[in-house]
Amino acid sequence: MSDQDPQLAAAAEIRARIDTSKPHSARFWNYFVGGKDNYEVDREIGDHIKEIFPGLVDVARTSRQFLGRAVRHLAGEQGIRQFLDIGTGLPTADNTHEVAQSVAPDSRIVYVDNDPMVLAHARALLTSTPEGETAYIDADFYEPEAILKAAASTLDLSKPVALMILNTLGHVADYDQARALVARLMAGLPSGSYLVISDSTATSEGMIAASNAYNESGAVPYYVRSVEEIAGFFDGLELAEPGVVQVTEWRPESGVSVVDAYGGVGRKP
């Protein structure tokens, strides 16, 4: 057999795992931020939700902008050179590694997801500067210790790491379980590490209706939470100013708009 055969077999196995009969959150979000890695079933529910709550498009767009500002702050102002991004989603523009390495070319980034669609694209699109490194782990968010063990092949876990969990925690139905998963991940990171979270919030009737419509579509459910619950993920951490706020209000670079998404950045003492 040629050297290519195992790679071709792996690619075929990944494609076989992709279910295009139901909407998927990564593809759905990709559609909302203007990407092309989505299917008709994702666009249909996306268009339906736009009719119910057009503001969700703004949530997708501004959440991506929040990611960029948070990473630039950590790489540029706090000297962070290691990023662990869980719930990667489909690569678009201004991914974590692109933002971090544009500020600090020696940054190391590990992406984590276990969706075959994301896996198929991530391996092809996630590149790195010569000075830094970018890696992808096919792992389950419900196994934090396994994630940390795998990440240690690329990251030095004795030095500060920025843990990025954006628009992902809503997939964990039980709030206490979601908090426990975040705590277990942070427990494996040293003092001086950071937690970055953003998520859609149950702060308007439109967002709640959009969430219900999405959950009824057959996709893996996504549960929007209160602002207080989002803030709870940062318990025990030192919040960077301005705290847990609408993602558009976190160190904005332009005019602030109102969106149903909150986020924050916290430092482990």
Side-chain angles (χ1 to χ4, degrees):
M1 296 178 68
S2 72
D3 291 341
Q4 294 297 315
D5 288 337
Q7 297 178 23
L8 292 172
E13 190 274 334
I14 291 170
R15 288 195 297 271
R17 289 166 53 193
I18 297 174
D19 182 359
T20 61
S21 66
K22 298 177 181 178
H24 186 277
S25 60
R27 303 191 312 246
F28 168 81
W29 212 244
N30 176 266
Y31 176 53
F32 269 15
V33 298
K36 298 180 179 178
D37 297 315
N38 47 74
Y39 294 94
E40 182 63 28
V41 66
D42 308 301
R43 296 188 288 272
E44 286 179 356
I45 185 62
D47 291 339
H48 176 55
I49 287 177
K50 284 181 186 179
E51 294 177 359
I52 297 173
F53 182 54
L56 192 57
V57 177
D58 293 329
V59 167
R61 177 180 54 82
T62 58
S63 295
R64 195 71 181 179
Q65 293 167 352
F66 165 76
L67 179 153
R69 295 195 304 278
V71 171
R72 283 193 294 273
H73 166 71
L74 293 174
E77 299 179 37
Q78 303 303 324
I80 297 297
R81 296 294 180 267
Q82 303 190 109
F83 295 82
L84 179 58
D85 189 330
I86 296 181
T88 306
L90 289 163
T92 54
D94 298 326
N95 301 290
T96 298
H97 74 287
E98 294 171 324
V99 177
Q101 292 180 346
S102 71
V103 176
D106 59 336
S107 296
R108 291 172 169 257
I109 297 88
V110 172
Y111 291 100
V112 182
D113 212 306
N114 70 337
D115 177 75
M117 183 81 174
V118 176
L119 175 61
H121 287 77
R123 287 183 171 169
L125 298 179
L126 298 181
T127 57
S128 175
T129 58
E131 303 93 329
E133 186 172 352
T134 302
Y136 181 91
I137 299 172
D138 183 10
D140 193 330
F141 181 48
Y142 291 91
E143 299 177 354
E145 289 75 22
I147 289 174
L148 292 168
K149 182 178 180 179
S153 297
T154 303
L155 308 178
D156 181 352
L157 299 188
S158 69
K159 297 179 180 179
V161 175
L163 174 62
M164 317 281 298
I165 314 178
L166 281 75
N167 306 104
T168 297
L169 288 165
H171 283 305
V172 183
D174 184 83
Y175 177 62
D176 290 337
Q177 182 181 26
R179 284 191 58 165
L181 290 169
V182 173
R184 286 162 64 186
L185 286 164
M186 290 301 295
L189 303 179
S191 174
S193 292
Y194 284 83
L195 173 66
V196 182
I197 286 176
S198 71
D199 248 315
S200 302
T201 47
T203 42
S204 76
E205 292 183 1
M207 174 58 83
I208 294 170
S211 176
N212 291 337
Y214 179 79
N215 292 346
E216 292 169 359
S217 71
V220 176
Y222 199 97
Y223 302 95
V224 291
R225 295 192 163 102
S226 69
V227 177
E228 292 74 20
E229 287 174 319
I230 301 300
F233 289 116
F234 293 95
D235 282 356
L237 304 180
E238 300 167 348
L239 276 171
E241 291 294 335
V244 176
V245 295
Q246 287 181 344
V247 292
T248 50
E249 295 180 340
W250 199 90
R251 304 187 180 218
E253 297 171 347
S254 58
V256 174
S257 57
V258 177
V259 293
D260 293 298
Y262 278 68
V265 176
R267 181 183 183 275
K268 182 175 179 178

